[in-house]
Each structure stands twice: as C-alpha cells, then as structure tokens.
Amino acid sequence: MSRQWILRRILLVIPAMLGISVLLYTVLALAPGDPFSELAQNPAVPPEVAAALRAKFGLDDPVWVRYGHWFTSMMRGDWGFSFVSRMDVDTLILQRLPTTLIVIGAAQLMAILVALPVGVLAGIRPYSVFDQIANTLAFIGFSLPTFFTGLLLILVFSIQLDWLPFVYRADINATGWKFYWEHIRQSIMPVMVLGLFQGASLVRYVRSSVLDVVKLDYVITARSKGIGERKVVTKHVVRNALIPVVTLVMLQMPVVFGGAIVTEQIFRVPGIGSLLISAMLANDTPVVMAVTFVFSCLVVLCNLIADVLYAWLDPRISYR
Amino acid sequence: MTVTQSAPTGVPAPAAAATATTRKKQHFSPWQEVWRRFRRHRLALASSIVLGLIIVTVVFGPLVWTVPINEIDFAAKLQGPSWAHPLGTDDLGQDVLARMIYGGRISLAVGLAAMVVAIFVGVLVGAIAGMASGKVDAALMWLSDLFLSLPTLPLLLLIIYLFRDSLKAVFGVEGGIFIMIVVVIGGLRWMPAARLVRAQFLSLREKEFVEAARALGASRTRQVVQHILPNALGPVIVAATIDVAAAIIQESTLSFLGLGFPPDIPTWGRLLADAKDYLDIAPHWALASGAAIFLTVLSINFIGDGLRDALDPRRVI
C-alpha cells in the first residue's frame, strides 16, 4: 500500500466533510423560525439588545457568510453555547462522548464475537441444519427493533429476575473492584441490545463471504495437500473471508449510531445519543447541530478507516 | 424447440425459458414461474400468510372491532387481557386492540409510502447515472456515496425537529407529520436502490437485445422503459420489500423517541413508547405493540428473502 494512496484517501475526507456540512447547514437554514427567536421576541429583552445580539451572532448576513462562519467555528472546536445546560457545547459533548464510544465499541466487539464463529460454521456447511437455524435466528435478530429488545431485556432481567439495573448511573459511589463491577453490570443490557442486533446482520455477511471463498482454487489446493480441515478453515478460508467483513463492520457505523441513540434513550445512558434527544425535546438547537455534526464526523472517520484497512488487507485495491 | 423467449417482458424470462425446455407440455408465464419458485421457500410462504392476516386485520378490523380508540375509562386502566379488552387497556383505560389496529394502518401506510419514495428516487437516479455515464454518472454516484455516509437517524431527527411545526400548520397535524416522515425516510433510503439500478443498467445496456432495439431505431426512452427497466426489476423488487420493513422500523423508532406522530395519534412505536413506563404493572401493553412491529418486519424480511430466490434467474430451485 503506497503512502501516496493513503494521502489521497485522507484528502478525500475534505469534500465529504464539506458536502455533509453544507447539507446539514442547508437543513438548518431552510428551517422556519430562527434559533434566537425566543430571545429576540422576549418582551423583557429590549429591541436594541435583540438587534445587537442578532448582529453579534451574524443572523442578518447572507446565507453563505453564515455557513462559512458556522463551518469554520465548528472546525475550530467552538461549537456554541447550550442555553439549556448553561455550558459550552463542546465541553458538554466531550463529557458524554466517551460513554457512547465505550458502549458502541463493546457492542461491536460482542457482535463480532458472536457473528464470527456462527457465520463461519454456517458458511462452511451451507444448507445444513445448523445453517438454517442460524439463518432463521439472524432474520429474527435483525427484525427485532432495538427499542423492543431493550424493553424485553428490561422486562426479563430487571423486572422478572431482578438481576440487572435498568437505569444507567454515571455517579456510582463505590471504589476499587466494586466500581468496575457496577459499571459492567449496568452496561450488560445496552451492550447486548446493540451487539445482538449488529451480530445478526453480521452473521449473514460472514456466511456469504465464507461461501464465496470456500469454492476458490487455493482452498482446494490446501485441502489436496493434506492439511487438516480445521487448519484449512482457520488459516486459509477465514483469513480471506474476513477482508470484506472488516469493511462492512465499519460501513455499518451509521446504523450502529442510530441503534446507540435508541439504546441510550431506553437505558438512560448518559451518552451523546441521549443528549441529542433531550436537546431536541428542549429546543436546544446548538447542541442538536453539534451532536449531529459529531455523528457525521464519526461516520466519515469510520469510512476512512474502512478504506485504509481494506487496502492494507487486500493490496490489490490501492493500485486501481 | 419451443420458443418462449419473446421480448424480455418480465424478469425471470431466461429461467422461464429453461424450465419450458425441460417440461415441454407445461407453459408458465414469467410471473407464474416466480410464484412457483417463491412457494418453495416455506418461511416466505408462511410469512406472506402472516402479513396478509395483519393487513386484513388492520384494514377491515375497525368494521369488526368497533370500540373507539380514545374512549377514556379510568375505572378500567392498565387491565390485562379480558373479553371486553382482548389486549388489555392502557394507562387511560383506552382499548389497546383498537389502538393497535389504528396504529397499524399508519405504520403500514408509512412503510409503503416511504418505500415508494425511496424506490422512485432510487430508480430515477440509478437510471440516469446508468444511461448517462461520464461526468453525470460520477456526480450522481458521489452524491449517493455522500448520502450513504450520513448518519441516518440523527439526520432524520434533526429534520423532524426543525420542520415539524411549520408543516403541521400547512397540512394539519396528521397529514403534515405523515408527509414529512414519508418524504424524509424515503429521501434518506434511495441510495441502495440507485446503486442497484445503475449496476443493472450498465450491464443491460450492452446486451444484444438492447443493441437490437437500438439498431431498429428505438429512442432512448423506449430502450429504457421497454427493454432495460423490466429486466432490472428483480433486484429492485427485493430492495423495495426490504425498504418497507426498514421504513416501518424507522417510523416506529421516531415515534418511540417521541419525535414522530403526536401523542394522541397511536402508531405502534408510539404505543410502545407509552407502554415502556408501565412495563412492571402492564407488560401486555408493551408486548402487544412490540410483537406487532416485530411480526410485520420479520414477515416482510422473509418475503424479501423468498423473492430474492424466486427472482434470481441464475438460481436453480
């Protein structure tokens, strides 16, 4: 993989970011009402103060000037001020981002751990009983909406069995091992909801990608050399079958973020997904715009990682 | 040899031709052939029956079950299933079955309408990109790549958050939200269909029968509408089926998060959202609405899988 290719791919992030930011800003600009209308129409605020505020925030400038202003300040990390939480949006988001990333990361890990063995086993014995059961379960898995699985898990594990807490608490007053144990205990259900949903769709990708590889000549060669079946599968089939799966895991990120918003909302996980919903219900536009922008950045970043990983794993790609 | 290869009217024309040569006596039209192949997929067949039942219940249910959806009766609140209320009652004593039937109409209508929007835009963009090639193609594919890398749910929420009040004023509460949700869900889901159609067009437009049509002087529109599009239809039908399921899930998600239809209009997602605070005392409420979404989506997904097998002419069943 040439350094030049990576550099070119990284440069491609710029038009993508520009495109997404233009789209987001168009939505905002087309929206009726102005984000400061409440402040400006408040009778307690004299008109000259309101006019000064409008001038200060540049609300009367033409649209492209406002867009340029917004985009450059977003890039600088100056994301505005949350009128509801009374703090800077960037500190608010940075406080909550780690929780979201940990939950999403753990869920993806779980999805891969479930989907890999199941998908590989189903793929090397297509149309067997195991394959059919796995396929049916996968269909059930991605037909179950995350919000319903979440409620089902709460019903079973919190209400019926009383094993797990159903509200995620950020302020656990315990130290040492107990602190970590409590954190793990309250993360089990959100991670399971997201992980099982992702795992269900991954199983099908892994299976079809194994099916594609299994018939290739080099696998037959490996078999004819007398290598054991287990070694053929683990060393020859799986390694190559996983290349497209790695990309798919990364490209599925927009769906994962959607699922994360729902799960955070159900279990009241204090991440940026629940921040987005509460900001919307409280009409806190700066936070809403910033969180959407962060989600978009994360998606673009994941696409970049997917491409670079793919080129690294499959060297034929970068020479195109 | 029996020649059944007329003009490429339907999708599985080659498959129909193949079976026609093996069984010389029987004649199958392409759609009969699709049905014959679809029946082999047992889960898909069972799913069509389930989905058919759900649709019949939702469409004709109010004629049979005439309990009003908003009759408040605090004496009977949060009751479990009984003869008077087969699916129990909610926190205001309203009948859950009646609300589920009404909500199903909205959920299914949103799913279908959003699918139509997504497929229409997708086929249009894909067809233009596939026929035009060159700069137009590159630009359209860049656009679809851009849309693919948008975080769908946050963007959906953002658009609804910003626009719901003004649309409500223009089209009324129900109509405004319906139009917006359909357009937005459909408008963020056209990319897979567009890429599919483009790929089909790129290969089909070089095929001999299209070349023949071109040689006979068929206009570009005629080539597309009469010859290319019918043959590209198979994967599009499958994508459309999956889109209905995805749109139903997305609408339910929006309603569940409290940003879909207003609280007084029951949709399946909204019912589930209301039910989630009473999980411990009235689990039947959440289970009923959740199961309805799950069953509908699952059966649509299975039907899509069955159609995928049935419409792929290269696949031997």
Side-chain angles (χ1 to χ4, degrees), chain A residues 15-16 19-20 23-24 27-28 30-32 127 135-136 139-140 142-145 147-148 151-152 154-155 159-160 197 204 254 257-259 261-262 265-266 268 276-277 279-285 288-289 292 295-296 299-300 303, chain B residues 43 142-143 145-159 161-166 188 249 252-253 256-259 269 272-273 275-277 279-280 283 286-287 289-291 293-294 297-299 301-302 305 308 315:
Chain A
I20 289 175
L23 217 98
L24 282 184
V27 170
L28 182 73
L30 282 177
Y127 309 109
N135 200 27
T136 312
F139 259 96
I140 293 176
F142 68 74
S143 300
L144 269 170
F147 48 88
F148 188 43
L151 292 186
L152 281 181
I154 289 181
L155 193 60
I159 294 174
Q160 298 289 329
F197 184 73
R204 288 166 54 81
F257 290 140
I261 293 177
V262 176
Q265 187 67 8
I266 298 174
R268 302 190 199 145
L276 178 70
I277 304 295
M280 281 182 175
L281 296 177
N283 281 324
D284 196 357
T285 308
V288 173
M289 286 304 284
T292 322
F295 273 127
S296 316
V299 171
V300 171
N303 286 351
Chain B
L43 279 168
W142 182 78
L143 192 72
D145 274 347
L146 183 72
F147 267 81
L148 272 174
S149 62
L150 287 172
T152 321
L153 188 62
L155 197 66
L156 263 177
L157 293 170
L158 177 73
I159 295 173
Y161 161 69
L162 290 171
F163 288 90
R164 62 184 157 171
D165 291 330
S166 55
L188 289 175
I249 288 200
S252 313
T253 311
F256 183 81
L257 293 174
L259 285 152
L272 197 56
K276 75 168 188 288
D277 299 329
L279 261 185
D280 45 347
L287 288 178
S289 38
I293 301 173
F294 167 58
V297 171
L298 182 67
S299 46
N301 279 337
F302 271 132
D305 197 45
R308 191 196 313 270
R315 200 179 170 111

Side-chain angles (χ1 to χ4, degrees), chain B residues 8-197:
Chain B
T9 45
V11 193
T19 42
T21 45
T22 48
R23 307 182 201 175
K24 285 192 174 161
K25 292 285 181 304
Q26 275 171 302
H27 245 301
F28 287 113
S29 82
W31 291 110
Q32 274 173 320
E33 176 65 16
V34 168
W35 170 238
R36 192 185 66 76
R37 290 158 69 97
F38 181 76
R39 272 184 323 197
R40 299 279 180 90
H41 196 307
R42 286 217 196 100
L43 279 168
L45 198 63
S47 298
S48 344
I49 297 171
V50 172
L51 187 67
L53 281 179
I54 293 175
I55 291 173
V56 167
T57 317
V58 160
V59 174
F60 299 107
L63 302 177
V64 183
W65 190 253
T66 46
V67 177
I69 60 162
N70 48 7
E71 192 183 57
I72 294 173
D73 176 12
F74 282 113
K77 74 173 191 177
L78 293 173
Q79 277 180 354
S82 64
W83 284 113
H85 305 287
L87 292 177
T89 54
D90 64 7
D91 57 332
L92 298 174
Q94 303 172 107
D95 185 58
V96 171
L97 178 62
R99 291 175 77 77
M100 293 261 303
I101 292 172
Y102 186 86
R105 287 183 163 190
I106 297 182
S107 295
L108 289 178
V110 167
L112 282 175
M115 175 273 281
V116 170
V117 172
I119 293 298
F120 179 76
V121 177
V123 169
L124 197 70
V125 171
I128 292 173
M131 287 309 280
S133 60
K135 270 185 191 158
V136 179
D137 178 30
L140 285 176
M141 283 304 108
W142 182 78
L143 192 72
S144 82
D145 274 347
L146 183 72
F147 267 81
L148 272 174
S149 62
L150 287 172
T152 321
L153 188 62
L155 197 66
L156 263 177
L157 293 170
L158 177 73
I159 295 173
I160 287 170
Y161 161 69
L162 290 171
F163 288 90
R164 62 184 157 171
D165 291 330
S166 55
L167 271 168
K168 238 186 260 178
V170 181
F171 297 103
V173 176
E174 215 168 312
I177 301 274
F178 184 85
I179 292 174
M180 179 172 69
I181 286 184
V182 162
V183 168
V184 175
I185 292 180
L188 289 175
R189 270 202 72 83
W190 54 267
M191 301 79 75
R195 316 203 106 220
L196 263 176
V197 172

Side-chain angles (χ1 to χ4, degrees), chain A residues 210-231:
Chain A
V210 166
L211 264 180
D212 285 345
V213 172
V214 140
K215 288 179 215 140
L216 293 183
D217 290 343
Y218 83 93
V219 178
I220 299 171
T221 313
R223 282 220 179 91
S224 61
K225 281 194 295 189
I227 304 176
E229 182 65 25
R230 175 181 291 263
K231 225 172 176 182

Side-chain angles (χ1 to χ4, degrees), chain A residues 11-45:
Chain A
L11 283 178
L12 272 179
V13 167
I14 299 170
M17 278 323 299
L18 275 175
I20 289 175
S21 67
V22 166
L23 217 98
L24 282 184
Y25 201 80
T26 316
V27 170
L28 182 73
L30 282 177
D34 110 36
F36 294 93
S37 60
E38 266 175 59
L39 206 64
Q41 279 159 16
N42 190 339
V45 179

Side-chain angles (χ1 to χ4, degrees), chain A residues 147-164 166 189 266-267, chain B residues 275-276 278-288:
Chain A
F147 48 88
F148 188 43
T149 358
L151 292 186
L152 281 181
L153 288 186
I154 289 181
L155 193 60
V156 174
F157 291 108
S158 298
I159 294 174
Q160 298 289 329
L161 297 170
D162 201 18
W163 286 354
L164 301 168
F166 62 87
M189 285 202 291
I266 298 174
F267 295 101
Chain B
K276 75 168 188 288
Y278 299 95
L279 261 185
D280 45 347
I281 31 179
H284 60 87
W285 184 11
L287 288 178

Side-chain angles (χ1 to χ4, degrees), chain A residues 205-265:
Chain A
Y205 290 134
V206 174
R207 176 187 179 270
S208 65
S209 142
V210 166
L211 264 180
D212 285 345
V213 172
V214 140
K215 288 179 215 140
L216 293 183
D217 290 343
Y218 83 93
V219 178
I220 299 171
T221 313
R223 282 220 179 91
S224 61
K225 281 194 295 189
I227 304 176
E229 182 65 25
R230 175 181 291 263
K231 225 172 176 182
V232 170
V233 170
T234 51
K235 291 260 152 105
H236 295 257
V237 175
V238 172
R239 285 183 73 155
N240 278 311
L242 285 192
I243 296 175
V245 174
V246 171
T247 340
L248 275 165
V249 170
M250 284 294 164
L251 292 182
Q252 282 276 306
M253 274 304 172
V255 184
V256 181
F257 290 140
I261 293 177
V262 176
T263 358
E264 286 184 7
Q265 187 67 8

